[in-house]
């Protein structure tokens, strides 16, 4: 279990209230009109939702977003301190993050620099006159953080997690989803028009004006890429997306592009890997065909748009505004950009905290917002929920003893990563400037590429953190790990001073959810070491599939918005983890209550069982724009927040018991589903 070295500023942990009085559930919004057994989400959150207006700069607002904003504000204050007091920049990470953040906030310097930082990339694209030079250019762009049209990365081999392997996969589309190139509804036509306008605007601003015919060719080119791209639901199949190849194999499967030349630049002159993974071989085949057949003028236009799209938030106002009009307004319905400091923090850290220097933000955050007491208590929650999962596996009636033994072994070896890493990266060889935002982005990308290639010859670091601790999220990692960053171990998810019911209904359910991810329809394919191995008997695998199919069917029947249903296959892993994570967390709570003899103690008039479910519903409090919801239903593997309350709870006998719901109530499923 991960421990981490405390920073000398740890005394400031009270900034987010960790040393304050016990966190109380927000009960003032409970509805008097809606009954718990009719619609529990509305009972807990309906009044809040009705009274809450979405700010112009928000596509959604709720518990996750409000905590993210609080974390960002803490970081903003801390980053300003670093800038004002250089003596506080005591580690390589803190020095880097101070310069990077300053460069993002210096809008005058961004305007003054113009395109100079990305001009070398654009010039390389402009100079593409021979097809023989295309592989080198594509690899150079990939190393520079521009996945066009192939993405790459180095990570533990899925079938042998002792070693790292190079992975190639589909990427490079400008529309939100591959299906958007083929849909004909009004929403999709609007997105296509917005994307064309975005491409036209950034190309013109970069001195590369495009006529309508040029944009038609660009869209036709991307449509061919989309045709060969796998649907999002199919990307969830780990076996289908694991295709080991050699350079010779790839050349045979995807003729038309010099893959040896591509790999030589991608690996920066290192020894070419004898074996790598091509996640979607048919996409590589299409890329090679386009490399051989498509006019180079179309390639130049496409690649320029991809570079400008990737860099736009870090470029002068003309580019940043164009990016907002398309990615902010057209896709998610935003009416105004987020505050500058939030945007810069997200660009540096990434939505999931996995940008190359994101951990430097986490180093700054943890010193101020995560106490040893919080870590100790969160570890206890993990072990209680793990114990509850163990008991459930042992009692499964549909699983045979051999498969149970493997499942229990996997659960026992699951590695919790709590709060933050034990040590922080040193970022050897990386230096950033306080007045070159786009240049810093490119430096970071190239530094990260070098680090990834070095990983190819190094053993897997099983304790390496791959997400920043400031992030409000949790993860089921590929090495049979579960990661809970300090950023989510805050109210309303977790409070070291709060009652058990509040914590187990909040972060406890998140813990149960992440544990279950390693046993969902995708995660169940991996063994105790995190390697892709079939440890199921055929009969047990069929029994599991039958239960998972029922989950997919149930969610597919839900229509959160007229004309738009949940994609039960795309969201299957998240839905299984919600439906199993909730009862596992509840049973973990019972273990905690036995230790404290608090099973019957009411707080604010509610029993621990009732507070557990209220806490969980509060965590999923959420209000979104219609555009955001449509994009979520089309592209996101998570169901909308409301149904992360209604469906798991209506399938749980614990919920019905807690609120005395009778058969026939809306919150009591007529045919309850249980997977784990």
């Amino acid at each position: 279990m991960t421990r981490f070295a405390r920073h000398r500023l740890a005394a400031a942990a009270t900034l987010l209230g960790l040393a304050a009085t016990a966190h109380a559930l927000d009960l003032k919004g409970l509805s008097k009109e809606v009954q718990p057994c009719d619609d529990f989400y509305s009972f807990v959150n309906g009044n809040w939702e009705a009274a809450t207006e979405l700010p112009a700069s928000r596509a959604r607002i709720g518990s996750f977003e409000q905590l993210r904003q609080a974390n960002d504000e803490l970081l903003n204050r801390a980053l300003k301190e670093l800038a004002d007091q250089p003596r506080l920049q005591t580690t390589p990470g803190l020095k880097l993050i101070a310069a990077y953040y300053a460069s993002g906030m210096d809008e005058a310097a961004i305007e003054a620099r113009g395109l100079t930082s990305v001009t070398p990339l654009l010039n390389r694209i402009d100079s593409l006159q021979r097809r023989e030079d295309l592989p080198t250019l594509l690899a150079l762009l990939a190393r520079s953080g521009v996945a066009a049209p192939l993405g790459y990365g180095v990570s533990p081999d899925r079938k042998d997690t002792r070693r790292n392997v190079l992975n190639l996969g589909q990427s490079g589309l400008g529309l939100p989803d591959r299906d958007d190139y083929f849909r004909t509804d009004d929403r999709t036509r609007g997105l296509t028009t917005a994307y064309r306008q975005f491409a036209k605007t950034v190309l013109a601003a970069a001195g590369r004006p495009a006529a309508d015919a040029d944009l038609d060719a660009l869209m036709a080119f991307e449509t061919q890429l989309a045709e060969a791209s796998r649907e999002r639901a199919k990307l969830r199949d780990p076996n289908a997306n694991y295709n080991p190849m050699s350079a010779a194999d790839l050349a045979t499967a995807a003729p038309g592009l010099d893959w040896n030349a591509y790999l030589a630049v991608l690996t920066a002159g290192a020894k070419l890997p004898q074996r790598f993974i091509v996640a979607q071989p048919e996409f590589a085949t299409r890329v090679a065909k386009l490399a051989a057949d498509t006019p180079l003028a179309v390639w130049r236009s496409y690649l320029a748009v991809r570079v400008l799209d990737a860099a736009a938030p870090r470029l002068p106002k003309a580019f940043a505004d164009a990016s907002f009009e398309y990615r902010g307004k057209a896709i998610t319905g935003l009416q105004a950009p987020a505050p500058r400091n939030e945007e810069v923090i997200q660009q540096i850290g990434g939505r999931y905290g996995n940008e190359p220097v994101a951990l430097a933000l986490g180093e700054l955050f943890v010193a101020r917002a995560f106490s040893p007491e919080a870590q100790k208590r969160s570890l206890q929650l993990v072990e209680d929920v793990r114990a509850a999962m163990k008991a459930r596996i042992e009692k499964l009636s549909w699983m045979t003893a051999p498969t149970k033994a493997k499942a229990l072994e996997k659960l026992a070896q699951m590695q919790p990563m709590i709060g933050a890493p034990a040590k922080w990266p040193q970022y050897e060889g990386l230096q950033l400037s306080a007045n070159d935002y786009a240049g810093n982005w490119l430096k970071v990308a190239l530094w990260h590429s070098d680090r990834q290639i070095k990983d190819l010859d190094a053993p897997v670091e099983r304790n390496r953190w791959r997400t920043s601790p400031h992030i409000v999220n949790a993860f089921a990692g590929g090495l049979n790990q579960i990661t809970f960053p300090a950023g989510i171990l805050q109210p309303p998810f977790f409070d070291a001073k709060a009652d058990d019911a509040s914590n187990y209904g909040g972060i406890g359910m998140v813990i149960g959810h992440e544990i279950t991810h390693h046993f969902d329809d995708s995660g169940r394919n991996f063994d105790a070491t995190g390697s892709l191995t079939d440890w199921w008997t055929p009969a047990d695998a069929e029994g599991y599939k039958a239960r998972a199919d029922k989950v997919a069917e149930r969610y597919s029947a839900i229509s959160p918005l007229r004309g738009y249903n949940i994609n039960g296959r795309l969201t299957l892993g998240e839905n299984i983890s919600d439906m199993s994570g909730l009862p596992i967390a509840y049973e973990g709570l019972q273990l905690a209550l036995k230790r404290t003899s608090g099973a019957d103690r009411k707080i604010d008039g509610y029993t621990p069982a009732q507070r557990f479910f209220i806490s969980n519903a509060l965590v999923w409090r959420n209000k979104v724009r219609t555009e955001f919801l449509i994009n979520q239903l089309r592209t996101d593997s998570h169901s909308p927040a409301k149904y992360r309350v209604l469906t798991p709870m209506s399938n749980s006998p614990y919920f019905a018991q807690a609120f005395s719901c009778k058969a026939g109530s809306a919150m009591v499923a007529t045919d309850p589903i249980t997977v784990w």
Side-chain angles (χ1 to χ4, degrees), residues 161 410 479-480 523-533 535:
T161 55
K410 179 175 181 176
L479 296 174
N480 195 24
R524 75 172 189 84
N525 293 283
F526 298 85
D527 67 13
T529 68
S531 294
L532 187 56
T533 306
W535 47 271

Side-chain angles (χ1 to χ4, degrees), residues 495-544:
D495 187 335
K497 303 295 184 182
D499 63 292
D500 284 325
S502 298
N503 281 330
Y504 283 76
I507 199 64
M509 187 276 181
V510 177
I511 293 168
H513 175 97
E514 300 306 332
I515 287 175
T516 307
H517 261 313
H518 286 293
F519 298 93
D520 70 17
D521 65 305
S522 178
R524 75 172 189 84
N525 293 283
F526 298 85
D527 67 13
T529 68
S531 294
L532 187 56
T533 306
D534 187 0
W535 47 271
W536 293 68
T537 67
D540 288 335
E542 284 301 312
Y544 185 96

Side-chain angles (χ1 to χ4, degrees), residues 286-418:
R286 179 61 56 89
V287 170
K289 185 177 188 305
L290 291 171
D293 299 343
T294 300
L296 293 181
V298 177
W299 271 105
R300 290 193 294 269
S301 177
Y302 165 74
L303 294 175
V305 170
R306 296 275 49 82
V307 169
L308 294 169
D309 190 8
R314 307 163 185 89
L315 294 176
K317 191 173 185 297
F319 298 92
D321 285 353
S323 181
F324 170 75
E325 288 294 318
Y326 173 52
R327 300 205 172 274
K329 186 176 289 186
I331 294 178
T332 65
L334 286 173
Q335 300 303 305
R340 180 76 186 178
N341 64 293
E342 289 186 20
E343 175 67 19
V344 173
I345 288 171
Q346 179 154 322
Q347 291 296 327
I348 294 172
R351 181 180 176 189
Y352 299 109
N354 54 6
E355 286 296 305
V357 297
L359 278 167
L361 288 172
E363 181 180 358
L364 189 61
F365 177 84
V366 166
R368 291 157 167 80
F370 195 61
S371 69
E373 181 187 6
Q375 186 181 48
K376 181 179 179 181
R377 191 163 180 202
S378 58
L379 285 167
Q380 182 63 63
L381 266 87
V382 171
E383 293 313 317
D384 281 344
V385 178
R386 192 205 303 250
M389 180 63 159
K390 179 176 182 289
R392 290 183 77 87
I393 292 173
E394 290 172 339
K395 294 175 184 176
L396 287 176
S397 61
W398 58 270
M399 183 180 283
T400 60
T403 308
K404 279 186 182 181
K406 292 290 187 180
L408 291 169
E409 177 190 8
K410 179 175 181 176
L411 180 66
Q413 292 190 30
M414 193 175 292
Q415 178 187 7
M417 303 179 74
I418 307 296

Side-chain angles (χ1 to χ4, degrees), residues 595-627:
R595 286 195 300 271
T596 61
S597 301
D600 299 322
R601 185 168 64 92
K602 289 186 177 182
I603 300 177
D604 297 325
Y606 290 95
T607 67
Q610 292 170 333
R611 286 176 65 79
F612 170 90
F613 290 108
I614 292 172
S615 175
N616 185 252
L618 285 169
V619 160
W620 297 117
R621 172 178 284 180
N622 197 40
K623 187 169 186 176
V624 304
R625 295 187 184 279
T626 300
E627 296 89 342

Side-chain angles (χ1 to χ4, degrees), residues 116-177:
T116 55
S117 297
V118 297
T119 295
L121 288 181
L122 294 172
N123 287 345
R124 285 291 298 267
I125 293 170
D126 291 342
S127 66
L128 178 64
Q129 301 298 328
R130 303 187 316 141
R131 292 192 187 276
E132 293 82 0
D133 296 330
L134 188 56
T136 298
L137 176 58
L138 296 184
L140 173 65
L141 292 175
R143 285 183 55 81
S144 302
V146 182
L150 285 166
Y152 93 100
V154 174
S155 61
D157 190 324
R158 283 187 165 186
K159 289 201 173 182
D160 182 1
T161 55
R162 297 170 300 176
R163 64 182 184 182
N164 290 304
V165 67
L166 176 70
N167 300 274
L168 302 178
Q170 67 186 48
S171 189
L173 299 180
L175 289 173
D177 186 56

